Amino acid sequence: MGFGLFGVKRGRDVVPKGCVAVYVGENMKRFVIPIGCLNQPSFQDLLSKAEEEFGYHHPMGGLTIPCSEDSFLNIISSVDS
């Protein structure tokens, strides 16, 4: 069972309580996802890769995830929230 992404938001849109903004892919597409996803093993792997590549410096203002949009969507679609 997956969850619905809150969609792509641009600019200064507010991230709803209980969610986090992540930036993915070459074009840094922004997704807003529930924070419950952060505890899932598949997402933990993405967070480890992000830490290796970016450390704690995320210039986009949200988490920057170093993978393609397609890979991200495949991982997120399998995560239960």
Side-chain angles (χ1 to χ4, degrees), residues 12-46:
R12 296 181 170 257
D13 289 337
V14 175
V15 176
K17 186 174 182 175
C19 296
V20 64
V22 296
Y23 295 87
V24 180
E26 289 182 23
N27 296 321
M28 293 297 167
K29 190 171 183 178
R30 184 176 189 241
F31 295 91
V32 177
I33 60 171
I35 59 172
C37 293
L38 302 178
N39 291 327
Q40 300 298 318
S42 57
F43 204 85
Q44 288 286 317
D45 291 340
L46 289 177

Side-chain angles (χ1 to χ4, degrees), residues 26-75:
E26 289 182 23
N27 296 321
M28 293 297 167
K29 190 171 183 178
R30 184 176 189 241
F31 295 91
V32 177
I33 60 171
I35 59 172
C37 293
L38 302 178
N39 291 327
Q40 300 298 318
S42 57
F43 204 85
Q44 288 286 317
D45 291 340
L46 289 177
L47 292 176
S48 293
K49 290 177 186 176
E51 181 183 13
E52 289 174 15
E53 187 163 328
F54 301 107
Y56 294 104
H57 177 69
H58 296 271
M60 297 299 295
L63 290 172
T64 306
I65 305 294
C67 70
S68 70
E69 289 178 34
D70 289 338
S71 295
F72 176 77
L73 291 172
N74 284 334
I75 290 168

